[in-house]
């Protein structure tokens, strides 16, 4: 269909001449917003991660997609970006949707937005359901500060290194994971973050079989492993929410001096030990050395 040129009359679509990131339901079709329905009906182009799922969603929510539907997924998003943005540049409306949730959050969308910014084109969003925020809200863990980490690496070694790097993260962390890897991932989290770290495993959010398991990572790892062994497993889309690292009380100079003297008594050199302990504790090497020397 021919897109209107900038400055010409449009059909009244407020997003004309825009790239629109539109959130789709993460499970329950009733969460589709009136704006999403209108956009699907009126947009010039709808770029979908999976065109079949888009048409299935449209049928469930009672909308006839009015414009051209094109596929837009991980392996073609860079190549297709300018094709979509040429429509926007001509005054048309391009809506980007993924299979569930907000585009660009662990889904296609980021590259076309970045390219739109480079070209000086308007980008807006039709906000809606988010698995990240839903899982965070239902976890029972602190929500004032959090970080989204996406999917952890698949290979065990890379996964362990990635999680170890997050062990001291003070904010609540949200992860995505696949059903066939969830048992290994939660076990690895218990190892990296500690078995007592509070967490929640949420699956099938907003769907009929929604379930949120809460507890220390060690207990969750045992629960998930037992269900996997029984053949039940955890099915569906899964989010893991992990509490941030607890604040560590800084050791006093007196405590550090005691540690230094204990190691000296075991045969280490005072100067070497003072430097090592000072570096770890983040205190002055000279002050610690002098205090330990005076205490001997």
């Amino acid at each position: 269909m021919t897109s209107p040129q900038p400055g010409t009359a449009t059909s009244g679509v407020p997003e004309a001449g825009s790239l629109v990131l539109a959130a789709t339901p993460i499970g329950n079709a009733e969460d589709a917003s009136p704006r999403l329905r209108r956009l699907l009906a009126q947009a010039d182009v709808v770029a979908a991660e999976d065109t079949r799922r888009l048409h299935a969603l449209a049928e469930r929510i009672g909308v006839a997609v009015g414009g051209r539907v094109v596929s837009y997924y991980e392996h073609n998003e860079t190549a297709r970006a300018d094709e979509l943005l040429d429509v926007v540049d001509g005054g048309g409306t391009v809506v980007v949707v993924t299979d569930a949730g907000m585009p660009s959050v662990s889904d296609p969308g980021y590259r076309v937005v970045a390219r739109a910014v480079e070209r000086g084109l308007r980008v807006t969003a039709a906000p809606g359901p988010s698995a990240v925020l839903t899982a965070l809200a239902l976890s029972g863990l602190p929500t004032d500060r959090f970080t989204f980490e996406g999917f952890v690496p698949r290979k065990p070694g890379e996964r362990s290194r990635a999680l170890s790097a997050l062990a001291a993260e003070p904010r609540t962390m949200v992860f995505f994971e696949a059903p066939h890897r969830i048992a290994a991932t939660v076990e690895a989290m218990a190892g990296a973050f500690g078995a007592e770290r509070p967490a929640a495993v949420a699956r099938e959010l907003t769907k009929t079989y929604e379930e949120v398991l809460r507890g220390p990572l060690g207990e969750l790892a045992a629960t998930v492993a037992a269900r996997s062994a029984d053949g039940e497993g955890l099915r569906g889309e899964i989010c893991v929410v992990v509490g941030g690292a607890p604040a560590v009380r800084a050791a006093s100079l007196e405590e550090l001096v005691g540690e230094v003297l204990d190691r000296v008594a075991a045969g280490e050199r005072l100067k070497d030990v003072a430097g090592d302990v000072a570096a770890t504790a983040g205190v002055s090497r000279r002050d610690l050395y002098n205090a330990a020397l005076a205490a001997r």
Side-chain angles (χ1 to χ4, degrees):
M1 63 189 297
T2 302
S3 300
Q5 296 301 310
T8 63
T10 70
S11 59
V13 180
E15 296 87 359
S18 300
L19 175 74
V20 186
L21 303 180
T24 55
I26 60 176
N28 193 324
E30 293 179 4
D31 293 332
S33 69
R35 188 177 175 197
L36 174 64
R37 289 181 166 87
R38 177 178 58 75
L39 283 166
L40 293 180
Q42 297 182 352
D44 296 279
V45 177
V46 178
E49 183 179 10
D50 185 324
T51 59
R52 293 170 299 180
R53 291 195 179 190
L54 168 65
H55 287 298
L57 171 64
E59 183 177 352
R60 291 203 308 275
I61 64 177
V63 172
V65 179
R68 180 164 57 97
V69 175
V70 300
S71 63
Y72 184 72
Y73 55 96
E74 180 182 1
H75 300 296
N76 76 350
E77 57 177 325
T78 299
R80 181 148 277 175
D82 278 314
E83 173 190 333
L84 298 175
L85 295 176
D86 286 344
V87 176
V88 175
D89 200 19
T93 303
V94 174
V95 174
V96 176
V97 296
T98 58
D99 293 344
M102 194 70 191
S104 82
V105 181
S106 277
D107 277 322
Y110 159 74
R111 289 178 175 83
V112 72
V113 171
R115 182 63 180 139
V117 172
E118 290 176 0
R119 291 180 56 170
L121 299 174
R122 182 171 183 259
V123 182
T124 187
S130 165
V132 176
L133 296 181
T134 303
L136 178 67
L138 295 179
S139 70
L141 296 170
T143 60
D144 53 338
R145 299 178 66 227
F146 70 93
T147 175
F148 173 57
E149 297 296 333
F151 287 91
V152 298
R154 300 183 180 188
K155 296 181 179 179
E158 295 177 4
R159 179 172 56 216
S160 295
R161 287 190 291 273
L163 293 175
S164 294
L166 293 170
E169 170 58 60
R171 297 169 294 182
T172 300
M173 296 170 282
V174 184
F175 302 84
F176 285 164
E177 193 49 284
H180 62 284
R181 292 195 299 269
I182 186 62
T185 293
V186 177
E187 181 179 4
M189 287 177 171
F193 302 145
E196 296 305 313
R197 183 79 70 91
V201 176
R203 71 178 189 92
E204 295 290 82
L205 292 172
T206 77
K207 299 179 183 177
T208 302
Y209 298 104
E210 175 181 283
E211 179 180 29
V212 182
L213 304 174
R214 305 176 182 87
L217 276 170
E219 292 182 10
L220 289 176
T223 298
V224 174
R227 288 178 57 165
S228 297
D230 290 343
E232 180 182 356
L234 295 183
R235 300 185 178 90
E237 303 292 330
I238 300 174
C239 294
V240 183
V241 186
V242 181
V248 178
R249 183 184 68 84
S252 66
L253 185 61
E254 181 180 345
E255 291 171 324
L256 296 176
V257 166
E259 180 182 347
V260 169
L261 295 181
D262 286 343
R263 289 175 58 176
V264 169
E268 297 183 64
R269 292 180 59 210
L270 174 59
K271 186 175 182 180
D272 295 338
V273 175
D276 182 34
V277 173
T280 302
V283 300
S284 165
R285 175 178 178 174
R286 176 181 295 180
D287 289 348
L288 181 57
Y289 175 81
N290 290 338
L293 196 62
R296 291 183 70 177

